[in-house]
Amino acid sequence: GPLCATALGDARQPGSVRALMANVANIGEGLRDRLASDFWRLVRLPLPAFDGAVTETLLDASSRLIERFSALSGLAAENMGRSDGWRFHDMGRRMERAIAGCRLLTLFGGDNASDDDLILLLDLMDSQISYRTRYLSGPALAPVRDLLALEPHNPRAILYQAQRLADHVAALPTLRADGMPEEPRRLADALVARLAPLTGDMLAIADIADAESRLLGLSDAIGQRYFLQVRKTESADLLA
């Protein structure tokens, strides 16, 4: 109970739902004239009230928040123009989902994972129905790892995110006149090439850790290549 309440509502925790929604609202303030009214209304809705000691209210608040976030995601999917700006929006989603997937697989999909661990892992990665559709037996380590890390048609799988990231990076403008790929594209393509030949029985925790490291490196490369980098001293001079 207290742990869930902290994850939902503790503004002092940078990864809590309350803190993240506050960040979204702050960003939205600067883009207010570019946001649809429905999107802005959902962003500005207060968080559901809940009692941190009562499981039922925590579950109710979580369900209502999932509905709200699903609506926000749906608005972006259906109404946002497919410009380069949308590519960065989708890359951020794919990057976060892939990194979270790596960490969840490391926590619950280790070599000694129990059936309960694997069931929880499938639930956390929204792949329970996909697993039951494909496999008639209960959860087993190799098939779970294959579905969650390496299945190119599972929209929650790590490889699926890596392929979408590579597609986006390949479609972005390049500064090189010689036709050679820039660092973000090299890193994205290398990540896909690293994961694509593997199967669930070949995949080890070390491979998942390597994928997370590559994703973090790709994130840094995208930021360095496509976003203005201002050193702190320069920023202070500009504000002086």
Side-chain angles (χ1 to χ4, degrees):
L3 181 60
C4 293
T6 298
L8 283 175
D10 190 345
R12 297 169 298 178
Q13 300 295 328
S16 73
V17 173
R18 185 179 297 277
L20 291 173
M21 287 304 294
N23 289 338
V24 170
N26 288 336
I27 294 170
E29 288 284 359
L31 301 171
R32 180 67 188 88
D33 59 336
R34 301 186 183 185
L35 296 178
S37 58
D38 287 340
F39 191 95
W40 183 244
R41 179 177 56 82
L42 289 169
V43 167
R44 297 297 295 170
L45 277 176
L47 292 182
F50 61 88
D51 183 342
V54 180
T55 301
E56 288 75 12
T57 57
L58 287 170
L59 290 174
D60 180 67
S62 298
S63 297
R64 291 166 63 188
L65 286 169
I66 288 172
E67 291 176 358
R68 185 185 305 179
F69 299 148
S70 296
L72 286 168
S73 179
L75 283 171
E78 294 299 322
N79 297 342
M80 191 173 181
R82 275 14 183 198
S83 61
D84 287 342
W86 171 79
R87 292 191 182 279
F88 287 107
H89 163 78
D90 198 61
M91 280 196 290
R93 293 175 61 236
R94 302 299 173 191
M95 188 70 71
E96 289 186 351
R97 186 173 291 178
I99 292 171
C102 289
R103 292 174 180 175
L104 289 172
L105 272 162
T106 301
L107 285 171
F108 299 106
D111 295 339
N112 298 316
S114 66
D115 287 353
D116 289 340
D117 291 333
L118 297 177
I119 290 171
L120 177 59
L121 179 58
L122 289 168
D123 283 337
L124 290 171
M125 296 187 68
D126 292 324
S127 296
Q128 189 72 253
I129 294 175
S130 298
Y131 187 87
R132 293 201 304 266
T133 300
R134 174 180 289 192
Y135 303 104
L136 299 179
S137 60
L141 184 59
V144 168
R145 283 183 176 175
D146 191 79
L147 179 67
L148 300 183
L150 304 171
E151 173 52 61
H153 303 297
N154 178 11
R156 295 287 173 170
I158 295 168
L159 177 57
Y160 183 93
Q161 317 311 323
Q163 290 174 327
R164 302 292 79 73
L165 286 165
D167 291 343
H168 286 318
V169 170
L172 289 172
T174 179
L175 291 178
R176 296 193 61 150
D178 56 8
M180 299 296 289
E182 296 180 331
E183 184 179 13
R185 184 166 184 183
R186 292 198 303 272
L187 295 176
D189 289 346
L191 174 60
V192 172
R194 176 73 177 85
L195 292 175
L198 299 177
T199 58
D201 55 347
M202 299 166 60
L203 188 72
I205 288 295
D207 297 314
I208 298 170
D210 177 67
E212 181 178 349
S213 177
R214 289 171 181 265
L215 284 161
L216 293 171
L218 174 58
S219 178
D220 288 342
I222 291 171
Q224 290 289 333
R225 166 61 182 83
Y226 293 105
F227 294 93
L228 180 64
Q229 305 296 317
V230 179
R231 294 192 300 270
K232 290 183 178 180
T233 54
E234 292 177 349
S235 179
D237 291 341
L238 290 172
L239 295 174

